[in-house]
Amino acid sequence: MTGIEASRQVIDLVRANEDSARHGRGCSPDTIARAEREPGLTFPPSYRLLVEEFGTWDVAPTEFLGVHQTEAAGDVLLGSVTETLDARADVDMPPELMVILLDDVWSFAVLDTSQPDEDGEYPVFAWNPGVLDGGLMEKIADSLGEFALKECQQNLS
């Protein structure tokens, strides 16, 4: 299954489980372009589809960062953008990594944008910054779509 196919299944799952899954309103192409420009990273197709559809979403207990804005934060793009920029500044996260989820176990789930596959998807890694020489990375999925689908299916079962 491709990352984009998995993301389509995530959309269907979230829509079919509105009682236990939450999501935002989605993002415009202009917002997505800005969300890529600010950290200097390109979204893979599976992530772009989910951000277009939901902006941000969660299937408890997993909260995917996505991209969103709030009235209180004004023009600031919250979610993946701010968490990526903050992790670069606060814990020296390498610039090719994009934060997609914060987790008590892994610290960060990240996309490694330096390793695109033939579909433009990036692998998902658990990244722990507390290890010398750039942190410890463990691969957890081949694409954001596959990772999100697995998490959503597990949380909804």
Side-chain angles (χ1 to χ4, degrees), residues 32 78 146 150-151:
I32 292 172
L78 302 171
E146 292 171 42
K150 179 182 170 192
E151 287 290 313

Side-chain angles (χ1 to χ4, degrees), residues 5 22 24 27-28 30 35-37 49 61 65 68 79 83 85 94 103 108 119 125-126 140-141 157:
E5 291 168 338
R22 298 179 308 161
C27 290
S28 70
D30 288 341
E36 292 177 315
R37 189 172 51 253
L49 178 63
L65 293 173
H68 63 283
E83 293 298 338
L85 295 172
D103 187 86
F108 298 94
D119 296 324
F125 287 90
I140 53 178
S157 62

Side-chain angles (χ1 to χ4, degrees), residues 10 140 145-155:
V10 169
I140 53 178
E146 292 171 42
F147 173 68
L149 181 59
K150 179 182 170 192
E151 287 290 313
C152 290
Q153 287 173 328
Q154 178 180 318
N155 296 346

Side-chain angles (χ1 to χ4, degrees), residues 35-126:
E36 292 177 315
R37 189 172 51 253
E38 287 186 12
L41 300 170
T42 302
F43 289 178
S46 62
Y47 190 53
R48 178 182 302 277
L49 178 63
L50 288 163
V51 170
E52 284 173 350
E53 184 74 19
F54 298 134
T56 187
W57 71 102
D58 70 73
V59 178
T62 306
E63 296 180 22
F64 294 91
L65 293 173
V67 176
H68 63 283
Q69 292 175 286
T70 65
E71 195 172 307
D75 198 39
V76 175
L77 292 179
L78 302 171
S80 185
V81 175
T82 54
E83 293 298 338
T84 296
L85 295 172
D86 288 350
R88 286 178 183 171
D90 298 343
V91 292
D92 295 323
M93 185 179 77
E96 68 273 9
L97 300 182
M98 179 188 311
V99 179
I100 56 163
L101 187 136
L102 303 174
D103 187 86
D104 293 340
V105 176
W106 304 318
S107 294
F108 298 94
V110 299
L111 299 176
D112 185 347
T113 67
S114 71
Q115 298 184 44
D117 68 12
E118 63 277 355
D119 296 324
E121 296 290 344
Y122 310 130
V124 181
F125 287 90

